[in-house]
Amino acid sequence: SDRYFRFYNKVIERVVQTKPDARIAVLGYGPCATPPEQTTIHDRICVFITTGADPRQFEKAGGTSAIYQYHLDGAYPTIRHYPHMIARFLRESKAVGGLGYYAEIHHNWAAGGPKVYVLSHLLWDVNSDVDALLDRYMRLAFGEQATAPMRAYFDRWEAIWEREQALLANPYDSIDNWKANQLRKFRHVTWDDIRFMDAALAIAKRARKTPRQKRRF
């Protein structure tokens, strides 16, 4: 990574001669996810640290940091619901001077909609109330009567994800086992979870909804 960051430094040093307010954004991915050992990064270079990375990992190397995260729900037979993790990640990044956020979002909207709704609001205000946003999403998407059971359904998926998260080396890794055996992705799901979620969906199904909310459900 020293070779890359020496090059980036040369570029920004020339750019600021004519555009003093300029910044350069680069990707901390692959070899460049490791901070340089011999080069201090120019303070006008913003490093987008890829998913699972520690927002503080470039803190001693200079520059400023940002987050590059993946929400690749399409490769999973389970629902990857982790809105509270996203909030913790963004808040920690901001606390160390993080400047931005970039995400690859490839998902099934029915599964990932609540998570992305929360994310979009956190990017405007990182201190937004995640639980209030989730309740609002459920109310708008599925109707007043279905709010509580749909919230319970998604909360259970978040609890399942948190069981997996507890075993990860990095708590911000959102795509663990992305290409792994599909059956292994059910290893944190129990029959109690299935029964609980089936009951929640049954209650939500009986709730009063508009025609659009019924289609969405």
Side-chain angles (χ1 to χ4, degrees), residues 13-67:
E13 286 165 6
R14 293 183 63 176
V15 169
V16 296
Q17 290 175 13
T18 56
K19 298 182 183 300
D21 295 328
R23 293 182 182 272
I24 291 178
V26 301
L27 194 58
Y29 183 76
C32 290
T34 302
E37 297 179 356
Q38 303 167 2
T39 306
T40 299
I41 303 172
H42 195 288
D43 61 7
R44 288 304 179 87
I45 293 176
C46 181
V47 184
F48 276 78
I49 306 168
T50 53
T51 191
D54 181 351
R56 300 174 184 272
Q57 75 185 57
F58 276 80
E59 196 170 26
K60 296 179 181 179
T64 55
S65 67
I67 295 171

Side-chain angles (χ1 to χ4, degrees), residues 34 51 98-99 101 110 164 169:
T34 302
T51 191
L99 278 183
Y101 183 91
E164 176 183 343

Side-chain angles (χ1 to χ4, degrees), residues 6-181:
R6 280 197 298 270
F7 172 72
Y8 299 148
N9 280 353
K10 290 291 185 182
V11 173
I12 191 64
E13 286 165 6
R14 293 183 63 176
V15 169
V16 296
Q17 290 175 13
T18 56
K19 298 182 183 300
D21 295 328
R23 293 182 182 272
I24 291 178
V26 301
L27 194 58
Y29 183 76
C32 290
T34 302
E37 297 179 356
Q38 303 167 2
T39 306
T40 299
I41 303 172
H42 195 288
D43 61 7
R44 288 304 179 87
I45 293 176
C46 181
V47 184
F48 276 78
I49 306 168
T50 53
T51 191
D54 181 351
R56 300 174 184 272
Q57 75 185 57
F58 276 80
E59 196 170 26
K60 296 179 181 179
T64 55
S65 67
I67 295 171
Y68 188 114
Q69 194 170 29
Y70 301 89
H71 302 297
L72 309 182
D73 301 336
Y76 291 90
T78 52
I79 290 179
R80 312 286 290 173
H81 184 64
Y82 41 81
H84 290 88
M85 179 275 277
I86 294 173
R88 291 191 296 271
F89 200 8
L90 288 172
R91 289 164 186 166
E92 184 174 353
S93 177
K94 183 181 179 184
V96 296
L99 278 183
Y101 183 91
Y102 187 95
E104 291 186 34
I105 301 177
H106 307 288
H107 73 163
N108 178 325
W109 187 260
K115 173 179 60 187
V116 178
Y117 182 81
V118 170
L119 168 62
S120 66
H121 283 77
L122 287 168
L123 292 176
W124 283 105
D125 179 3
V126 77
N127 294 312
S128 296
D129 186 327
V130 174
D131 292 300
L133 288 171
L134 287 169
D135 285 341
R136 185 169 186 264
Y137 180 93
M138 303 305 162
R139 185 175 69 255
L140 293 173
F142 307 111
E144 194 73 44
Q145 290 187 1
T147 296
M150 290 305 294
R151 175 67 195 274
Y153 171 77
F154 277 100
D155 282 353
R156 193 64 167 233
W157 277 118
E158 185 170 27
I160 292 167
W161 186 83
E162 287 174 345
R163 293 172 206 157
E164 176 183 343
Q165 180 193 38
L167 303 176
L168 298 178
N170 194 304
Y172 299 132
D173 186 353
S174 59
I175 56 170
D176 181 55
N177 283 302
W178 179 48
K179 294 183 178 179
N181 181 289

Side-chain angles (χ1 to χ4, degrees), residues 195-211:
R195 284 188 285 267
F196 178 90
M197 290 188 286
D198 278 350
L201 290 176
I203 295 170
K205 185 177 182 179
R206 295 193 297 269
R208 184 184 302 113
K209 307 179 197 67
T210 66

